[in-house]
Amino acid sequence: MNSRFLGLAVVLGLLSAIGPFAIDMYLPAMPSIGSDLHAGPVGVQMSLLAFFISMGIGQLAVGPIADIYGRKGPLYVGLALFLVGSVGAALAPTIEWLVAFRFLQGIGATAGLVVPRAIVRDLYTGNEAAKLMSLLMLVFSVSPILAPLTGSFISESFGWRGVFWAVTVAALVAVVLLATSLKETRPPEERIGSSFGEALRAYRFLLRDRYFLGLTAIGSFAISSFFVYLSNSSFLLIDHYGLTPRVYSLFFSINAVSFFAMSQLIGRLADRFGLSRVVRYAVTGYASVMVLLFALMASGFDSLGVLATLLFFGYGFVGLVIPSTSVLAMDEHGEIAGTASALLGTLQLGIGAAAMAVAGVFADGTPLPMVAGIALCAVISFTLAHLTLGSARQPAEVPAE
């Protein structure tokens, strides 16, 4: 593996991690935010939901902009908006202001999610793209592995507002990396013919491509199970199981280690079995583990050890599903990579936000509603994988120039 390949993965991974960093660092502080701003769990969760919704909406605009104006410009604008949102969140006097600035912060984070996927597709396809995507995910793993623990230390030492000041510093580091370590991968000659009208036509084309939509939905419901866990875990593990914020952070990181460690196997597995078979096998394992967890919890077996063990194995399988489905979905859409990445990301976050909202309605302070939501997402992902990949690929017609 050459140094350029690895260096690109590091830069793209860190740029991609800025948005998730703003989520994961903040999770251990959610109970203290509610106490300080006199808001209940639903109000605090709204600040998380607002972030996801704005990232979903923002991606629809950022993708075409990245195809029309290149990759680096949208990254600069996104980071600037993210910085404003981070400072505003750090100074927020009420939960309403916090929700508003988290919404702005989420819009800024969209570029870091959309553009790196498009850059991967600019440079590579097939198994090479899968290998780069898995390396990118390894760097990206710094967020869910280290961010919750870092967030708990910061919130205990400086209060929850210190978390947002730390996120501001991280965004400034990303600006420096963007300026010094990343070249434009969509030069002006490749942007000829790109326009917002063409972007709308590309969206219509993608929305008729059942293969693209099927793969996107498989990954979306896989990641939605993680979003359900993410939105409920701090209240559940701290309040129901009595973990301290610091121990909770370690617990959260263990699942992230499983996810990203497994993602590093994609390149080898893809070379041996092909990406489609990797996805089918992975969703089978994912659904089996999560349904077993639900069955145990539904029978009254409320054990933190069982919850931790099965989530560890289940999210390991998810680590194979998400990068593989992203590469397969975008493989045939190089000329509209930014737009395809945007729609893929929007659908992932939209489905994830809906899953979080539904799980929140049924939350009762016990693990069962969260585990039920996770298992349902796993079953849907399994079903879609076998419907989409169970027969020969039926490609959509390429849109006319």
Side-chain angles (χ1 to χ4, degrees):
M1 184 179 300
N2 61 55
S3 58
R4 178 178 177 275
F5 197 84
L6 182 60
L8 181 63
V10 169
V11 174
L12 294 180
L14 292 177
L15 287 170
S16 299
I18 290 299
F21 196 65
I23 298 169
D24 300 331
M25 273 192 75
Y26 148 94
L27 293 177
M30 288 175 72
S32 62
I33 290 172
S35 177
D36 187 48
L37 297 182
H38 307 291
V42 174
V44 178
Q45 286 177 333
M46 275 301 299
S47 66
L48 182 62
L49 186 59
F51 190 91
F52 279 100
I53 291 172
S54 62
M55 280 201 299
I57 295 171
Q59 288 185 76
L60 291 175
V62 170
I65 289 171
D67 284 339
I68 296 168
Y69 298 107
R71 308 307 189 201
K72 292 189 69 173
L75 283 170
Y76 280 120
V77 174
L79 287 170
L81 291 174
F82 184 88
L83 283 166
V84 173
S86 299
V87 172
L91 300 174
T94 66
I95 191 65
E96 291 80 12
W97 278 107
L98 179 62
V99 170
F101 280 114
R102 288 285 282 172
F103 188 87
L104 179 62
Q105 195 183 40
I107 291 176
T110 58
L113 295 177
V114 173
V115 178
R117 281 195 301 257
I119 290 174
V120 170
R121 181 56 187 82
D122 287 342
L123 300 174
Y124 301 101
T125 59
N127 289 359
E128 287 299 305
K131 291 173 184 176
L132 179 56
M133 189 72 77
S134 66
L135 274 176
L136 188 154
M137 295 289 282
L138 178 62
V139 179
F140 182 85
S141 68
V142 71
S143 176
I145 293 174
L146 297 181
L149 186 59
T150 304
S152 67
F153 276 105
I154 291 174
S155 61
E156 288 176 9
S157 302
F158 303 102
W160 64 267
R161 297 180 190 274
V163 170
F164 289 106
W165 290 119
V167 169
T168 302
V169 173
L172 290 172
V173 172
V175 172
V176 174
L177 280 174
L178 176 60
T180 60
S181 304
L182 188 65
K183 295 181 179 180
E184 178 60 62
T185 60
R186 188 171 174 84
E189 59 270 19
E190 294 184 10
R191 305 174 206 164
I192 297 172
S194 297
S195 67
F196 288 106
E198 289 296 309
L200 290 175
R201 193 166 68 89
Y203 278 133
R204 288 197 299 269
F205 164 71
L206 291 168
L207 288 169
R208 293 196 302 266
D209 185 341
R210 294 183 180 180
Y211 188 69
F212 174 85
L213 291 177
L215 287 161
T216 298
I218 295 163
S220 296
F221 280 101
I223 202 170
S224 291
S225 70
F226 192 72
F227 289 168
V228 170
Y229 172 69
L230 185 141
S231 65
N232 289 275
S233 60
S234 61
F235 294 103
L236 179 66
L237 298 179
I238 293 172
D239 295 337
H240 180 73
Y241 288 113
L243 302 185
T244 66
R246 192 169 299 178
V247 174
Y248 161 74
S249 301
L250 291 171
F251 187 98
F252 187 89
S253 299
I254 289 170
N255 289 325
V257 168
S258 170
F259 180 99
F260 292 106
M262 288 295 287
S263 73
Q264 298 313 294
L265 300 177
I266 290 175
R268 295 178 187 175
L269 293 174
D271 285 340
R272 183 171 180 180
F273 301 109
L275 283 175
S276 294
R277 290 177 69 188
V278 170
V279 173
R280 290 201 302 272
Y281 293 153
V283 294
T284 301
Y286 161 50
S288 300
V289 171
M290 296 312 193
V291 169
L292 174 61
L293 176 59
F294 171 71
L296 289 172
M297 289 291 176
S299 67
F301 199 75
D302 185 357
S303 165
L304 179 60
V306 170
L307 180 69
T309 300
L310 292 181
L311 286 178
F312 178 85
F313 285 107
Y315 287 129
F317 287 114
V318 173
L320 294 174
V321 174
I322 293 173
S324 299
T325 53
S326 296
V327 169
L328 284 170
M330 293 183 60
D331 209 36
E332 298 181 1
H333 303 298
E335 294 185 1
I336 52 171
T339 303
S341 176
L343 184 58
L344 183 149
T346 296
L347 292 174
Q348 283 185 343
L349 287 174
I351 292 172
M356 284 194 301
V358 171
V361 170
F362 293 98
D364 61 3
T366 69
L368 187 58
M370 181 187 78
V371 170
I374 290 171
L376 180 60
C377 288
V379 170
I380 294 172
S381 186
F382 169 84
T383 303
L384 289 170
H386 287 273
L387 289 174
T388 303
L389 300 171
S391 58
R393 161 73 165 118
Q394 298 296 323
E397 294 182 5
V398 177
E401 296 295 333

mmCIF file of all heavy atoms in Angstrom, residues 296-318:
data_model
loop_
_atom_site.group_PDB
_atom_site.id
_atom_site.type_symbol
_atom_site.label_atom_id
_atom_site.label_comp_id
_atom_site.label_asym_id
_atom_site.label_seq_id
_atom_site.Cartn_x
_atom_site.Cartn_y
_atom_site.Cartn_z
ATOM 1 N N LEU A 296 -33.986 -12.242 23.792
ATOM 2 C CA LEU A 296 -33.546 -12.356 25.181
ATOM 3 C C LEU A 296 -34.133 -11.246 26.041
ATOM 4 O O LEU A 296 -34.630 -11.495 27.151
ATOM 5 C CB LEU A 296 -32.017 -12.329 25.246
ATOM 6 C CG LEU A 296 -31.299 -13.566 24.704
ATOM 7 C CD1 LEU A 296 -29.802 -13.334 24.648
ATOM 8 C CD2 LEU A 296 -31.606 -14.790 25.555
ATOM 9 N N MET A 297 -34.090 -10.007 25.532
ATOM 10 C CA MET A 297 -34.615 -8.877 26.298
ATOM 11 C C MET A 297 -36.137 -8.982 26.457
ATOM 12 O O MET A 297 -36.685 -8.667 27.514
ATOM 13 C CB MET A 297 -34.236 -7.559 25.616
ATOM 14 C CG MET A 297 -32.762 -7.213 25.724
ATOM 15 S SD MET A 297 -32.289 -6.796 27.409
ATOM 16 C CE MET A 297 -30.519 -6.565 27.237
ATOM 17 N N ALA A 298 -36.812 -9.417 25.415
ATOM 18 C CA ALA A 298 -38.271 -9.541 25.477
ATOM 19 C C ALA A 298 -38.703 -10.621 26.465
ATOM 20 O O ALA A 298 -39.804 -10.553 27.024
ATOM 21 C CB ALA A 298 -38.829 -9.843 24.089
ATOM 22 N N SER A 299 -37.839 -11.611 26.687
ATOM 23 C CA SER A 299 -38.156 -12.668 27.643
ATOM 24 C C SER A 299 -37.856 -12.257 29.080
ATOM 25 O O SER A 299 -38.037 -13.061 29.997
ATOM 26 C CB SER A 299 -37.374 -13.944 27.298
ATOM 27 O OG SER A 299 -35.988 -13.740 27.494
ATOM 28 N N GLY A 300 -37.390 -11.017 29.258
ATOM 29 C CA GLY A 300 -37.125 -10.507 30.604
ATOM 30 C C GLY A 300 -35.692 -10.637 31.055
ATOM 31 O O GLY A 300 -35.372 -10.361 32.217
ATOM 32 N N PHE A 301 -34.782 -11.005 30.152
ATOM 33 C CA PHE A 301 -33.366 -11.186 30.490
ATOM 34 C C PHE A 301 -32.643 -9.855 30.341
ATOM 35 O O PHE A 301 -31.988 -9.586 29.344
ATOM 36 C CB PHE A 301 -32.761 -12.255 29.579
ATOM 37 C CG PHE A 301 -31.488 -12.845 30.101
ATOM 38 C CD1 PHE A 301 -31.505 -13.756 31.143
ATOM 39 C CD2 PHE A 301 -30.267 -12.487 29.563
ATOM 40 C CE1 PHE A 301 -30.331 -14.302 31.633
ATOM 41 C CE2 PHE A 301 -29.091 -13.018 30.049
ATOM 42 C CZ PHE A 301 -29.116 -13.932 31.083
ATOM 43 N N ASP A 302 -32.770 -8.998 31.352
ATOM 44 C CA ASP A 302 -32.191 -7.643 31.311
ATOM 45 C C ASP A 302 -30.782 -7.677 31.895
ATOM 46 O O ASP A 302 -30.582 -7.543 33.102
ATOM 47 C CB ASP A 302 -33.089 -6.684 32.099
ATOM 48 C CG ASP A 302 -32.615 -5.233 31.998
ATOM 49 O OD1 ASP A 302 -31.568 -4.991 31.357
ATOM 50 O OD2 ASP A 302 -33.277 -4.347 32.570
ATOM 51 N N SER A 303 -29.794 -7.870 31.039
ATOM 52 C CA SER A 303 -28.408 -8.005 31.482
ATOM 53 C C SER A 303 -27.513 -7.072 30.678
ATOM 54 O O SER A 303 -27.507 -7.121 29.441
ATOM 55 C CB SER A 303 -27.936 -9.454 31.306
ATOM 56 O OG SER A 303 -26.526 -9.542 31.404
ATOM 57 N N LEU A 304 -26.752 -6.236 31.374
ATOM 58 C CA LEU A 304 -25.818 -5.337 30.691
ATOM 59 C C LEU A 304 -24.749 -6.135 29.948
ATOM 60 O O LEU A 304 -24.342 -5.770 28.844
ATOM 61 C CB LEU A 304 -25.180 -4.389 31.698
ATOM 62 C CG LEU A 304 -24.148 -3.401 31.141
ATOM 63 C CD1 LEU A 304 -24.773 -2.491 30.088
ATOM 64 C CD2 LEU A 304 -23.539 -2.574 32.274
ATOM 65 N N GLY A 305 -24.297 -7.242 30.537
ATOM 66 C CA GLY A 305 -23.276 -8.052 29.889
ATOM 67 C C GLY A 305 -23.742 -8.649 28.576
ATOM 68 O O GLY A 305 -23.017 -8.647 27.573
ATOM 69 N N VAL A 306 -24.980 -9.157 28.566
ATOM 70 C CA VAL A 306 -25.547 -9.714 27.330
ATOM 71 C C VAL A 306 -25.732 -8.620 26.293
ATOM 72 O O VAL A 306 -25.405 -8.799 25.106
ATOM 73 C CB VAL A 306 -26.883 -10.413 27.626
ATOM 74 C CG1 VAL A 306 -27.610 -10.770 26.331
ATOM 75 C CG2 VAL A 306 -26.648 -11.663 28.454
ATOM 76 N N LEU A 307 -26.251 -7.465 26.731
ATOM 77 C CA LEU A 307 -26.428 -6.339 25.820
ATOM 78 C C LEU A 307 -25.111 -5.938 25.190
ATOM 79 O O LEU A 307 -25.009 -5.764 23.962
ATOM 80 C CB LEU A 307 -27.040 -5.154 26.581
ATOM 81 C CG LEU A 307 -27.289 -3.874 25.779
ATOM 82 C CD1 LEU A 307 -28.414 -4.082 24.772
ATOM 83 C CD2 LEU A 307 -27.622 -2.713 26.721
ATOM 84 N N ALA A 308 -24.071 -5.804 26.011
ATOM 85 C CA ALA A 308 -22.757 -5.383 25.509
ATOM 86 C C ALA A 308 -22.179 -6.405 24.538
ATOM 87 O O ALA A 308 -21.657 -6.044 23.473
ATOM 88 C CB ALA A 308 -21.806 -5.172 26.689
ATOM 89 N N THR A 309 -22.281 -7.688 24.873
ATOM 90 C CA THR A 309 -21.672 -8.723 24.040
ATOM 91 C C THR A 309 -22.340 -8.827 22.673
ATOM 92 O O THR A 309 -21.659 -8.852 21.629
ATOM 93 C CB THR A 309 -21.761 -10.090 24.749
ATOM 94 O OG1 THR A 309 -21.066 -10.015 26.003
ATOM 95 C CG2 THR A 309 -21.143 -11.188 23.896
ATOM 96 N N LEU A 310 -23.661 -8.861 22.647
ATOM 97 C CA LEU A 310 -24.358 -9.029 21.374
ATOM 98 C C LEU A 310 -24.286 -7.775 20.513
ATOM 99 O O LEU A 310 -24.189 -7.867 19.280
ATOM 100 C CB LEU A 310 -25.804 -9.452 21.620
ATOM 101 C CG LEU A 310 -25.957 -10.861 22.217
ATOM 102 C CD1 LEU A 310 -27.427 -11.216 22.406
ATOM 103 C CD2 LEU A 310 -25.275 -11.912 21.341
ATOM 104 N N LEU A 311 -24.323 -6.596 21.120
ATOM 105 C CA LEU A 311 -24.137 -5.376 20.329
ATOM 106 C C LEU A 311 -22.734 -5.340 19.724
ATOM 107 O O LEU A 311 -22.551 -4.904 18.585
ATOM 108 C CB LEU A 311 -24.354 -4.132 21.192
ATOM 109 C CG LEU A 311 -25.805 -3.799 21.554
ATOM 110 C CD1 LEU A 311 -25.847 -2.557 22.450
ATOM 111 C CD2 LEU A 311 -26.668 -3.577 20.314
ATOM 112 N N PHE A 312 -21.745 -5.811 20.465
ATOM 113 C CA PHE A 312 -20.371 -5.852 19.960
ATOM 114 C C PHE A 312 -20.295 -6.682 18.676
ATOM 115 O O PHE A 312 -19.739 -6.244 17.668
ATOM 116 C CB PHE A 312 -19.448 -6.431 21.030
ATOM 117 C CG PHE A 312 -18.008 -6.565 20.611
ATOM 118 C CD1 PHE A 312 -17.141 -5.492 20.719
ATOM 119 C CD2 PHE A 312 -17.531 -7.771 20.103
ATOM 120 C CE1 PHE A 312 -15.810 -5.616 20.324
ATOM 121 C CE2 PHE A 312 -16.202 -7.900 19.716
ATOM 122 C CZ PHE A 312 -15.343 -6.817 19.827
ATOM 123 N N PHE A 313 -20.880 -7.877 18.703
ATOM 124 C CA PHE A 313 -20.838 -8.741 17.511
ATOM 125 C C PHE A 313 -21.743 -8.204 16.406
ATOM 126 O O PHE A 313 -21.381 -8.224 15.221
ATOM 127 C CB PHE A 313 -21.235 -10.164 17.881
ATOM 128 C CG PHE A 313 -20.166 -10.903 18.628
ATOM 129 C CD1 PHE A 313 -20.307 -11.159 19.981
ATOM 130 C CD2 PHE A 313 -19.014 -11.319 17.993
ATOM 131 C CE1 PHE A 313 -19.314 -11.838 20.687
ATOM 132 C CE2 PHE A 313 -18.016 -12.000 18.682
ATOM 133 C CZ PHE A 313 -18.161 -12.250 20.039
ATOM 134 N N GLY A 314 -22.918 -7.694 16.775
ATOM 135 C CA GLY A 314 -23.838 -7.182 15.769
ATOM 136 C C GLY A 314 -23.272 -6.002 15.009
ATOM 137 O O GLY A 314 -23.349 -5.940 13.770
ATOM 138 N N TYR A 315 -22.662 -5.060 15.720
ATOM 139 C CA TYR A 315 -22.111 -3.889 15.049
ATOM 140 C C TYR A 315 -20.826 -4.208 14.292
ATOM 141 O O TYR A 315 -20.420 -3.464 13.397
ATOM 142 C CB TYR A 315 -21.915 -2.743 16.036
ATOM 143 C CG TYR A 315 -23.237 -2.107 16.439
ATOM 144 C CD1 TYR A 315 -23.578 -1.909 17.764
ATOM 145 C CD2 TYR A 315 -24.152 -1.736 15.465
ATOM 146 C CE1 TYR A 315 -24.805 -1.358 18.118
ATOM 147 C CE2 TYR A 315 -25.368 -1.185 15.804
ATOM 148 C CZ TYR A 315 -25.693 -0.999 17.128
ATOM 149 O OH TYR A 315 -26.910 -0.449 17.457
ATOM 150 N N GLY A 316 -20.193 -5.326 14.618
ATOM 151 C CA GLY A 316 -19.090 -5.782 13.782
ATOM 152 C C GLY A 316 -19.560 -6.110 12.371
ATOM 153 O O GLY A 316 -18.933 -5.730 11.377
ATOM 154 N N PHE A 317 -20.703 -6.803 12.275
ATOM 155 C CA PHE A 317 -21.271 -7.091 10.952
ATOM 156 C C PHE A 317 -21.682 -5.812 10.226
ATOM 157 O O PHE A 317 -21.525 -5.694 9.008
ATOM 158 C CB PHE A 317 -22.467 -8.030 11.092
ATOM 159 C CG PHE A 317 -22.100 -9.444 11.418
ATOM 160 C CD1 PHE A 317 -22.454 -10.008 12.640
ATOM 161 C CD2 PHE A 317 -21.392 -10.224 10.518
ATOM 162 C CE1 PHE A 317 -22.123 -11.321 12.945
ATOM 163 C CE2 PHE A 317 -21.049 -11.540 10.809
ATOM 164 C CZ PHE A 317 -21.409 -12.092 12.039
ATOM 165 N N VAL A 318 -22.204 -4.830 10.964
ATOM 166 C CA VAL A 318 -22.585 -3.551 10.350
ATOM 167 C C VAL A 318 -21.357 -2.866 9.749
ATOM 168 O O VAL A 318 -21.444 -2.192 8.719
ATOM 169 C CB VAL A 318 -23.273 -2.630 11.386
ATOM 170 C CG1 VAL A 318 -23.517 -1.234 10.806
ATOM 171 C CG2 VAL A 318 -24.597 -3.233 11.831
#
